[in-house]
Amino acid sequence: MSQSELKSSAAWIAVDWGTSNVRAWAMDDRANILDQVSSPLGMNAIAADAALGFEGVLIDLIGRWLPSGSSDRMRVVICGMAGAKQGWLEAPYCSVPVRPDELASGAVRPVLSDQRIDVAILPGLKQVDDPDVMRGEETQLVGFMASQPEFDGWVCLPGTHSKWARVSGGAILGFKTYMSGEVFALLSGQSILRHSMDDRWDDATFEAAIRDASDAPTGFLHKLFTVRASGLVGNANAANVPGAAVLSGAVIGSEIADVVGALDGNAQIALIGDGKLAGLYRKALAVHGFDADAVDGQAITIAGLAAAHQAIRNA
């Protein structure tokens, strides 16, 4: 598609503004992707450099999609950290329980210098009892709910801070966050366990660690040290155990055990994500007898932004 054709076909722009990166998609009026672009200028990079500004970064990123004049402004719908306190303009958290249209109605609009765009920044989600917050994942949940409106169960979003959201009756009822990804990164890269990390992997070892985390939930801290000790005690079998598989199984297993302990065998579980991490969560859930197919995270993000765009346009 030529540059002129792209400008004439683009109806709105979807943006996912994270802590480390920003991604944008030019969309047509049927929510089809016409073009896409990404940048490492996430919220942290902009906040650390006073010379950078959210609007300037955005225009540099999407300028080639914008109309030449300002008579017909292009709507830009943004989710993620642009709405944080340290972001472009704070979009206050909405409280659970919440429906998708209520989230869209909480969007905020920054004052702009460039009159070619109309920016709506979506809010995050908060939970006052059992304090918790999310910003960005709620848009993925909205996208998932749009594709599966009858879903009644838990939706898992693996990541640095994994989220588990309870979805029922077309609403997000509550959620729980686990620092599993961050804990794994810290332990594998900065603790004594870093000496036991290598490229080896074994699914049976990982699954055994998942079971151990469920059978002995109070033994988590001891299990961590066995990752290091196994290579030092002269036990040949133990020394050959892949440390990363044990550590990953212990950390993810602790998270999974806490969640599934409150579920019955008929509970629905969905995974939003792709790649290796989602695969590990699926294996971990299978150990407990749950079958959860992973849904592509980018597609669900765009679906959530499209639902928000539609709600804003109809408001």
Side-chain angles (χ1 to χ4, degrees):
M1 182 177 293
S2 69
Q3 196 65 39
S4 60
E5 289 175 325
L6 181 58
K7 283 189 175 186
S8 63
S9 300
W12 64 286
I13 295 171
V15 179
D16 179 9
W17 214 313
T19 302
S20 303
N21 299 282
V22 55
R23 298 178 295 169
W25 299 269
M27 311 294 295
D28 69 12
D29 56 8
R30 295 184 179 180
N32 296 310
I33 299 173
L34 303 176
D35 197 10
Q36 58 187 310
V37 65
S38 64
S39 165
L41 294 176
M43 182 193 70
N44 280 352
I46 298 174
D49 189 338
L52 292 173
F54 279 88
E55 182 176 352
V57 169
L58 179 65
I59 294 300
D60 285 346
L61 200 63
I62 68 171
R64 60 197 174 111
W65 302 334
L66 299 180
S68 301
S70 60
S71 58
D72 188 16
R73 302 172 76 183
M74 179 78 74
R75 177 168 289 127
V76 182
V77 182
I78 302 177
C79 70
M81 300 309 292
K85 279 188 177 181
Q86 301 81 12
W88 189 348
L89 176 65
E90 184 178 7
Y93 293 108
C94 293
S95 294
V96 292
V98 67
R99 294 183 177 277
D101 57 343
E102 294 172 316
L103 276 168
S105 67
V108 297
R109 287 181 163 82
V111 176
L112 301 167
S113 299
D114 195 313
Q115 297 304 304
R116 295 176 297 170
I117 56 175
D118 172 19
V119 173
I121 302 175
L122 300 176
L125 199 56
K126 70 178 179 180
Q127 181 173 271
V128 178
D129 298 330
D130 188 15
D132 215 328
V133 295
M134 67 169 68
R135 195 175 286 279
E137 295 92 349
E138 75 293 324
T139 301
Q140 292 185 308
L141 291 171
V142 169
F144 175 81
M145 293 162 68
S147 66
Q148 299 195 39
E150 303 302 318
F151 183 84
D152 185 351
W154 287 85
V155 182
C156 175
L157 302 97
T160 302
H161 298 153
S162 297
K163 308 286 186 181
W164 286 80
R166 180 72 174 93
V167 172
S168 182
I172 303 168
L173 303 182
F175 59 99
K176 300 181 75 170
T177 300
Y178 295 84
M179 293 177 61
S180 305
E182 183 171 357
V183 168
F184 179 84
L186 289 170
L187 291 174
S188 63
Q190 298 184 39
S191 79
I192 194 173
L193 302 186
R194 70 186 186 279
H195 301 296
S196 302
M197 299 295 110
D198 54 38
D199 294 332
R200 295 178 301 152
W201 184 266
D202 180 68
D203 281 342
T205 298
F206 172 76
E207 291 166 6
I210 295 293
R211 293 188 190 91
D212 287 346
S214 178
D215 295 340
T218 59
F220 175 71
L221 294 177
H222 170 64
K223 184 67 175 181
L224 293 181
F225 194 73
T226 66
V227 176
R228 178 58 179 159
S230 294
L232 301 175
V233 298
N235 183 324
N237 290 332
N240 288 325
V241 172
V246 179
L247 177 57
S248 183
V251 173
I252 294 176
S254 178
E255 172 188 335
I256 298 292
D258 187 59
V259 174
V260 302
L263 303 181
D264 61 47
N266 296 320
Q268 284 185 284
I269 296 178
L271 278 171
I272 294 179
D274 42 42
K276 181 179 178 181
L277 185 59
L280 291 179
Y281 272 75
R282 190 177 185 196
K283 285 186 176 72
L285 286 165
V287 169
H288 288 273
F290 292 94
D291 183 17
D293 290 330
V295 181
D296 178 71
Q298 176 175 293
I300 287 296
T301 297
I302 295 171
L305 287 164
H309 172 255
Q310 185 67 35
I312 291 169
R313 186 170 63 178
N314 293 341

